[in-house]
Amino acid sequence: MAEISIKFPDGKVQSFAEGTTPADVAESISISLAKKAVAAKYNGELVDYLTPLKGDGDIEIVTKSDADGLAVLRNTTAALLRIALKKEFPAIRLGEVSADDDGFYVDTDKDDQQVSVDELDALAVIVDKLVKDHLDIKRVALSKADALATVKDDQFSTALINAIDGDQVPFLQIGDYQVLSDGAQLVNTKDVKQFKFLSVAGAYWQGKSSNPMLQRIYGTAFYKEADLKADLARRQEARERDHRVIGNQLDLFFVDPKVGAGLPYWMPNGATIRRTIERYIIDKEVANGYQHVYTPVLANLDLYKQSGHWAHYREDMFPPMDMGDGEQLELRPMNCPSHIQIYNHHIRSYRELPLRIAELGMMHRYEKSGALSGLQRVREMTLNDGHTFVAPDQIQDEFKRILKLMVQVYADFDINDYTFRLSYRDPKNTEKYFADDEMWNKAQTMLKGAMDDLGLDYVEAEGEAAFYGPKLDVQTKTALGNEETLSTIQLDFMLPERFDLHYIGADGEEHRPVMIHRGLVSTMERFTAYLTEIYKGAFPTWLAPKQVTIIPVSEEKHGAYADKLAAEMKAANIRVNVDKRGEKMGYLIRDAQTHKIPYTLVVGEQEMANGSVSVRKYGEDDAQSMSSADFMKEILDDIASYSRDGDSTGEESQVEKKLDQD
């Protein structure tokens, strides 16, 4: 029998008979490894544990504790769900299946009512029976004709089979059941013990909005009960923090499908939060030397051809609008070309540099429907954008200045959980990035040097740069566990070259400026979504859409006193309302807590006589009596300090301290 050479992760090479399985290889290493193993990676491809190996290759045994081992379990659980669906609903049609770090899903379609969340438990019972039967899982190859006959009347499975090259179609034989194969599988159903079918949602067939809407069933699976319980607890916490859920509860925003996905409407409560953020950020930037501008949301397509957006970013841009006279207008995808026009409108002197331009600039991105999510992924957005034009010898100081401002803003919003990422180009990707090795090497070296000089920790990521230059990304996690870029600082030598930007130096000669792009808090949409989730809807007083609600014990007797207090607060720019619905006191107090209003004031006979208020803070059970004057001082101090304990400057973060030491 022919032999093959198998190379192990430690570099050792060993000969085995051709047709040896990963199980044989694992047993040759140790019995304990063989018991834990569930699959293997052979030449980088994840394969079944009992797959006969052909040809020389590199092997990595995959165990239950590996991420790939979890993927194998989830592939098998998804296969069992497909069997359960066919047993429960014989006429159901089955679409795509996917397993990843977050679980798995199976796409389905029925002529009558789609599978509902109420039917998931019944499907789990069927899968439990398949698990308890300890069924062997084997791969079988069907001819394309036989495979198509197996899925007759299912246009989605038919399309998946027709997309497979060749005449052999892989199926799984699980007991008496056959299902279309997808990914590496376990050898027996007995290991599928800890699983949960989670939810259902609509999903377009193959992710295209022009295709039929299917019903997607989401699930997850683990080898250990403790891991499943921890994951379900995490998901519950994520649901409670999901800005889409909270946005509905607190009436912050909505999206109307009749108007279009990804185009949110800001309700008064959400608009108040956004307006507060916008006023804060403008004041902060103006105090730090930025000049705020307004620029058009439309521009001639030639502007984006010159900037390079049309060549490198076209698939994220809306189609141009032909005005009929040869002019083509484009909804802007980024603000930088507009700010370049501001810079270029005058002859600039070295005395003006650094020249800092900022704007809350509206942009549009061509996002597919399947990628849209609440306020986090939208088609129309307003970016807190800024561009600084500097002389080359000003780069280091300006970079540090921007980073320090960014960190101060985070402190005011009580954002502490973030990391830094240096994002470089992928030199092999010549379609995405400008081909100028000298420029890229220079910019990346300067950016890395600036971070090293500051002594800040960071990770490096190739292929994450903007198409015109490298950047520092500030990375955070959403409530759903997804990593998001909250802020960026980008170093750009390319656009000043393409737009032929100059300033007059001290020597009277023309010199080329360097452009630094920066966004302190991302878009208003994404930042509001992020804050909603980290605060769990309980916004700090200075951001809360309603800061105080006043409940008179009796509208007839105490309503006038409540109105007087409210008028005094409104005069001090406190957002307050008087609840005159006449419901029971306990209900009104609970309702204020449900809507996460920072302060609930109850006023009755005693408060009116003493000029006092009974104060209940959000999340606290006990009320405190204090004079109305003392309460005014407390809430105004709360707002002025950005709702942080201690004085309004707060305590410096470790990053701020490093920036100050430099």
Side-chain angles (χ1 to χ4, degrees):
M1 182 178 289
E3 290 193 338
I4 58 175
S5 295
I6 295 179
K7 184 178 180 180
F8 294 89
D10 63 1
K12 179 183 176 183
V13 178
Q14 189 173 339
S15 295
F16 290 86
E18 189 167 35
T20 294
T21 68
D24 298 327
V25 176
E27 286 179 8
S28 75
I29 299 172
S30 74
I31 299 300
S32 61
L33 176 63
K35 289 181 178 179
K36 293 184 291 186
V38 293
K41 270 191 168 180
Y42 199 62
N43 291 328
E45 180 184 356
L46 192 61
V47 298
D48 294 342
Y49 196 43
L50 298 181
T51 296
L53 302 177
K54 298 179 180 180
D56 299 340
D58 297 346
I59 196 167
E60 178 184 343
I61 301 299
V62 174
T63 69
K64 294 178 181 179
S65 60
D66 295 325
D68 285 325
L70 210 52
V72 173
L73 170 65
R74 289 168 178 171
N75 285 338
T76 300
T77 311
L80 297 183
L81 173 57
R82 296 178 87 178
I83 292 173
L85 286 162
K86 291 297 287 185
K87 285 174 68 67
E88 187 76 356
F89 313 108
I92 198 168
R93 294 176 288 275
L94 300 175
E96 294 178 306
V97 176
S98 178
D100 57 24
D101 293 342
D102 195 48
F104 63 86
Y105 67 74
V106 176
D107 286 346
T108 69
D109 188 48
K110 287 171 61 189
D111 286 331
D112 52 357
Q113 186 177 356
Q114 297 283 19
V115 178
S116 72
V117 70
D118 295 331
E119 294 170 305
L120 297 184
D121 286 345
L123 292 168
V125 170
I126 297 173
V127 171
D128 267 329
K129 176 68 167 56
L130 296 172
V131 171
K132 290 174 181 176
D133 286 344
H134 291 196
L135 302 175
D136 288 335
I137 301 173
K138 300 176 182 178
R139 284 196 182 275
V140 294
L142 302 184
S143 68
K144 188 162 283 188
D146 288 343
L148 291 172
T150 301
V151 298
K152 185 182 177 183
D153 300 326
D154 182 344
Q155 71 264 40
F156 305 112
S157 292
T158 296
L160 294 174
I161 291 171
N162 283 328
I164 296 173
D165 293 331
D167 188 55
Q168 296 295 300
V169 180
F171 267 67
L172 296 177
Q173 184 76 44
I174 304 177
D176 296 331
Y177 312 101
Q178 282 188 342
V179 291
L180 193 60
S181 172
D182 200 87
Q185 303 285 334
L186 297 172
V187 299
N188 191 281
T189 63
K190 64 183 179 180
D191 281 327
V192 185
K193 296 176 182 176
Q194 306 301 330
F195 69 92
K196 179 71 175 178
F197 300 143
L198 300 166
S199 59
V200 298
Y204 290 112
W205 163 239
Q206 295 186 326
K208 296 179 181 178
S209 57
S210 58
N211 285 344
M213 177 72 77
L214 308 184
Q215 186 80 321
R216 179 166 291 177
I217 302 175
Y218 290 94
T220 192
F222 291 88
Y223 291 104
K224 297 179 181 178
E225 182 181 11
D227 291 339
L228 177 61
K229 286 183 176 179
D231 183 71
L232 295 178
R234 179 190 64 80
R235 291 176 186 276
Q236 179 61 31
E237 177 70 13
R239 277 193 293 272
E240 292 174 1
R241 290 184 181 273
D242 190 330
H243 80 280
R244 295 166 298 183
V245 176
I246 296 172
N248 182 58
Q249 293 169 343
L250 301 186
D251 200 21
L252 303 183
F253 73 95
F254 70 91
V255 177
D256 188 341
K258 294 192 295 292
V259 175
L263 301 171
Y265 282 74
W266 294 78
M267 295 299 285
N269 286 343
T272 298
I273 295 168
R274 172 174 170 165
R275 186 168 55 250
T276 304
I277 296 169
E278 290 176 343
R279 287 173 176 171
Y280 163 87
I281 207 69
I282 291 173
D283 289 346
K284 197 80 170 177
E285 288 175 335
V286 169
N288 278 269
Y290 286 86
Q291 302 175 63
H292 261 260
V293 299
Y294 295 101
T295 58
V297 72
L298 286 170
N300 193 296
L301 180 61
D302 289 341
L303 181 67
Y304 300 111
K305 289 182 177 179
Q306 184 176 359
S307 69
H309 287 89
W310 188 244
H312 295 273
Y313 203 72
R314 185 186 312 183
E315 63 184 31
D316 293 308
M317 298 169 65
F318 279 93
M321 291 171 272
D322 191 336
M323 304 308 292
D325 56 1
E327 183 181 27
Q328 289 187 302
L329 295 180
E330 178 67 34
L331 285 167
R332 68 176 172 196
M334 292 186 184
N335 301 310
C336 31
S338 300
H339 291 183
I340 287 173
Q341 300 308 305
I342 296 281
Y343 179 91
N344 242 359
H345 188 62
H346 296 299
I347 297 173
R348 301 294 180 178
S349 164
Y350 73 96
R351 293 185 178 90
E352 297 178 74
L353 306 185
L355 179 64
R356 304 180 183 96
I357 297 171
E359 179 179 11
L360 292 171
M362 182 177 287
M363 311 184 307
H364 292 81
R365 300 279 172 84
Y366 188 86
E367 295 274 12
K368 297 294 180 65
S369 296
L372 301 171
S373 177
L375 294 176
Q376 281 173 338
R377 292 292 294 271
V378 293
R379 288 173 169 153
E380 180 183 271
M381 65 216 74
T382 300
L383 179 64
N384 162 230
D385 211 354
H387 297 90
T388 303
F389 300 87
V390 299
D393 62 359
Q394 296 172 327
I395 291 174
Q396 180 86 4
D397 287 343
E398 189 63 19
F399 179 86
K400 175 184 173 183
R401 181 189 181 101
I402 294 170
L403 187 54
K404 186 167 185 177
L405 174 59
M406 195 176 283
V407 171
Q408 288 172 351
V409 169
Y410 291 172
D412 287 343
F413 285 95
D414 197 26
I415 298 171
N416 304 300
D417 186 13
Y418 56 88
T419 57
F420 296 119
R421 182 183 76 187
L422 289 184
S423 297
Y424 304 143
R425 69 159 175 168
D426 177 358
K428 301 185 192 72
N429 191 343
T430 55
E431 289 188 14
K432 179 177 179 181
Y433 300 109
F434 280 116
D436 187 333
D437 290 343
E438 182 181 353
M439 182 281 292
W440 280 102
N441 292 336
K442 178 180 178 181
Q444 289 177 178
T445 299
M446 292 185 75
L447 197 61
K448 178 175 169 55
M451 289 296 286
D452 288 340
D453 288 344
L454 293 170
L456 297 173
D457 296 329
Y458 58 86
V459 297
E460 297 172 289
E462 190 176 272
E464 294 294 337
F467 70 83
Y468 47 76
K471 55 180 178 164
L472 171 70
D473 289 324
V474 182
Q475 301 298 108
T476 59
K477 285 285 186 72
T478 69
L480 300 180
N482 300 319
E483 189 173 88
E484 293 274 8
T485 298
L486 187 60
S487 309
T488 63
I489 306 175
Q490 303 168 9
L491 200 54
D492 183 3
F493 291 86
M494 182 61 66
L495 291 184
E497 188 77 29
R498 290 181 72 88
F499 282 91
D500 195 24
L501 302 185
H502 297 97
Y503 65 90
I504 306 301
D507 58 2
E509 300 295 323
E510 288 187 342
H511 297 271
R512 184 83 70 206
V514 178
M515 192 173 175
I516 301 178
H517 309 242
R518 48 105 289 204
L520 294 182
V521 293
S522 186
T523 66
M524 292 301 101
E525 290 76 12
R526 180 172 289 184
F527 192 55
T528 301
Y530 174 73
L531 293 178
T532 301
E533 294 185 352
I534 65 170
Y535 298 144
K536 212 171 181 177
F539 290 90
T541 305
W542 74 283
L543 272 178
K546 290 187 178 72
Q547 296 168 324
V548 181
T549 187
I550 304 175
I551 305 173
V553 174
S554 165
E555 162 61 18
E556 182 180 354
K557 296 179 180 178
H558 316 118
Y561 179 56
D563 290 339
K564 173 178 173 293
L565 292 172
E568 292 172 355
M569 292 180 199
K570 288 177 181 177
N573 294 319
I574 296 169
R575 297 187 286 274
V576 58
N577 76 295
V578 179
D579 194 331
K580 299 182 177 181
R581 288 178 291 171
E583 302 284 352
K584 292 182 178 179
M585 182 63 60
Y587 170 81
L588 296 178
I589 292 173
R590 286 193 302 275
D591 189 60
Q593 294 283 298
T594 299
H595 287 86
K596 307 183 189 240
I597 298 172
Y599 293 94
T600 301
L601 308 186
V602 176
V603 293
E605 203 67 33
Q606 182 176 344
E607 286 77 21
M608 190 169 65
N610 298 336
S612 63
V613 291
S614 177
V615 183
R616 184 191 298 265
K617 294 182 181 179
Y618 172 74
E620 296 183 2
D621 294 328
D622 298 328
Q624 178 184 3
S625 179
M626 63 175 67
S627 70
S628 61
D630 286 345
F631 173 73
M632 286 286 285
K633 181 179 184 307
E634 178 176 320
I635 190 172
L636 290 173
D637 286 346
D638 186 0
I639 294 168
S641 67
Y642 302 112
S643 303
R644 294 181 295 182
D645 293 334
D647 60 69
S648 60
T649 60
E651 183 179 345
E652 278 195 321
S653 69
Q654 291 301 314
V655 175
E656 284 180 290
K657 289 176 181 177
K658 285 188 176 182
L659 289 169
D660 287 338
Q661 289 169 3
D662 184 72

